[in-house]
């Protein structure tokens, strides 16, 4: 009886060791999307009155958690009964990521007019109008989070394909929790950065004090931090997509094996090339639909 109990403990310990190793690998694979997720949500959660930023972020966080509760069981069922679908979704997800990255690069070099973004402006709004704007922005953020969550879960699942189902469930669930708590926790710190800076400036009694100096840095840093995250997230998107193409598309995998170029460069080139191909196709379809509707 005792030996059976200790054998069970050994099995549990072995599973947890495997989970720890697989979680590290999965975290590395999904880091690029998490960076983009962070940038996107920091941007969407900013622009509100300071008293409303955290409530809005909390609403988005709950929506993100619900997204993952919906996505995880479907992903595990596919892994158990139709594992080929995981590979297909990985490649399709890679095409979407590459397209997103290419679109951001294209937009940087060839900017075009955008509609005014929704948010709380300096215009005085009624409480009902503020709630309508908040609901609209929260809904938009949750939809975006759903797409990114699918990619995060599938990529994490792709790193543990072939492992026991229990290990897959534990590993991918850990990544899902990290993606929600970690990302939105950091976003909360980022969006409150300027508020902390303002308070430091207000509490500073001297014109040239260290407190005021740090406060000014925090206030000025918020837009720069969001821009930096966007750049890092764009590069990471292309690298993650390129890695998926190199590993799961036989033709590209064969070309990559024959090349002596460093792996990170191969992945970036693969992601960039396919990303711009998808961008070109999407833009052509958009032009065709505009001509038909005109």
């Amino acid at each position: 009886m005792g030996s059976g109990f200790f054998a069970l403990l050994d099995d549990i310990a072995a599973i947890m060791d495997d989970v720890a190793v697989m979680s590290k690998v999965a975290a590395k694979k999904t880091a690029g999307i998490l960076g983009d997720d962070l940038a996107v949500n920091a941007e969407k959660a900013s622009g509100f009155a300071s008293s409303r930023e955290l409530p809005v972020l909390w609403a988005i966080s709950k929506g993100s958690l619900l997204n993952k509760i919906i996505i995880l069981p479907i992903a595990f069922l596919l892994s158990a009964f139709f594992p080929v679908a995981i590979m297909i979704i990985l490649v399709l997800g890679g095409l979407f990521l590459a397209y997103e990255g290419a679109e951001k690069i294209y937009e940087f070099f060839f900017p075009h007019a955008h509609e005014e973004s929704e948010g709380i402006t300096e215009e005085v709004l009624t409480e009902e109008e503020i709630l309508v704007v908040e609901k609209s922005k929260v809904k938009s953020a949750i939809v975006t989070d759903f797409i990114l969550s699918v990619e995060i879960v599938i990529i994490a699942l792709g790193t543990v394909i072939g492992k026991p189902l229990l290990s897959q469930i534990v590993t991918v669930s850990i990544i899902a929790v990290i993606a929600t708590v970690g990302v939105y926790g950091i976003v909360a710190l980022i969006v409150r950065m300027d508020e902390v800076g303002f308070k430091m400036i207000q509490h500073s009694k001297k014109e040239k004090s260290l407190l005021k100096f740090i406060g000014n840095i925090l206030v000025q840093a918020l837009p720069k931090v969001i821009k930096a995250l966007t750049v890092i997230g764009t590069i990471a998107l292309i690298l993650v997509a390129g890695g998926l193409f190199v590993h799961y598309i036989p033709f590209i995998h064969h070309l990559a094996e024959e090349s002596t170029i460093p792996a990170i460069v191969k992945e970036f080139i693969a992601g960039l090339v396919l990303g711009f191909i998808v961008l070109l196709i999407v833009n052509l379809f958009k032009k065709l639909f505009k001509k038909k509707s005109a």
Side-chain angles (χ1 to χ4, degrees), residues 38-71:
L38 182 62
V40 169
N41 285 294
E43 186 177 3
K44 286 185 178 292
S46 60
F48 292 94
S50 60
S51 62
R52 298 300 306 161
E53 283 176 342
L54 290 182
V56 167
L57 187 57
W58 174 239
I60 298 171
S61 301
K62 289 189 291 184
S64 175
L65 185 60
L66 181 60
N67 283 341
K68 291 173 180 68
I69 290 171
I70 294 169
I71 294 165

Side-chain angles (χ1 to χ4, degrees), residues 13-282:
I15 291 171
M16 294 312 295
D17 285 340
D18 288 342
V19 166
V21 172
M22 289 185 291
S23 295
K24 287 180 183 178
V25 174
K28 287 179 182 178
K29 292 287 185 181
T30 56
I33 303 174
L34 291 175
D36 187 64
D37 199 6
L38 182 62
V40 169
N41 285 294
E43 186 177 3
K44 286 185 178 292
S46 60
F48 292 94
S50 60
S51 62
R52 298 300 306 161
E53 283 176 342
L54 290 182
V56 167
L57 187 57
W58 174 239
I60 298 171
S61 301
K62 289 189 291 184
S64 175
L65 185 60
L66 181 60
N67 283 341
K68 291 173 180 68
I69 290 171
I70 294 169
I71 294 165
L72 284 171
I74 297 172
F76 295 140
L77 286 171
L78 286 175
S79 177
F81 299 106
F82 192 38
V84 176
I86 300 297
M87 304 303 173
I88 295 170
I89 294 171
L90 279 171
V91 173
L92 292 175
L95 289 171
F96 177 78
L97 292 174
Y99 163 74
E100 270 202 331
E103 187 181 38
K104 288 178 181 180
I105 293 172
Y106 180 79
E107 173 65 20
F108 177 79
F109 288 105
F110 304 100
H112 56 274
H114 292 280
E115 293 181 4
E116 292 185 4
S117 59
E118 295 177 350
I120 307 300
T121 62
E122 292 181 359
E123 181 185 353
V124 178
L125 302 175
T126 65
E127 187 176 346
E128 289 183 359
E129 288 173 331
I130 290 173
L131 289 175
V132 168
V133 172
E134 283 186 5
K135 285 180 180 178
S136 174
K137 201 165 187 180
V138 167
K139 185 178 179 180
S140 171
I142 290 172
V143 170
T144 302
D145 177 273
F146 185 86
I147 297 169
L148 291 170
S149 293
V150 169
E151 294 161 1
I152 290 167
V153 168
I154 295 298
I155 289 175
L157 194 55
T159 64
V160 293
I161 287 291
K163 300 292 182 181
L165 184 59
L166 179 60
S167 297
Q168 291 184 29
I169 291 172
V170 175
T171 301
V172 178
S173 297
I174 287 172
I175 296 300
V177 171
I178 291 172
T180 304
V181 177
V183 166
Y184 288 99
I186 295 171
V187 169
L189 293 175
I190 291 172
V191 298
R192 299 301 288 176
M193 186 187 297
D194 56 345
E195 183 67 19
V196 172
F198 278 125
K199 287 184 177 179
M200 291 176 76
I201 293 169
Q202 289 174 352
H203 283 84
S204 176
K205 295 179 181 179
K206 297 180 181 178
E207 184 64 28
K208 292 184 178 180
S209 66
L210 180 62
L211 198 65
K212 190 170 185 177
F213 176 74
I214 296 173
N216 282 321
I217 289 176
L218 290 175
V219 170
Q220 295 170 12
L222 179 59
K224 293 177 181 177
V225 167
I226 293 176
K227 284 183 181 179
L229 284 171
T230 302
V231 172
I232 294 167
T234 301
I235 295 170
L237 278 176
I238 294 170
L239 284 172
V240 170
L244 292 172
F245 301 147
V246 168
H247 286 92
Y248 297 109
I249 299 179
F251 174 71
I252 297 176
H253 180 72
H254 179 67
L255 288 178
E257 280 189 332
E258 290 184 344
S259 175
T260 56
I261 301 172
I264 191 170
V265 178
K266 295 176 191 175
E267 292 173 359
F268 187 81
I269 292 171
L272 196 63
V273 170
L274 284 181
F276 273 101
I277 290 172
V278 176
L279 178 64
L280 178 62
I281 293 168
V282 170

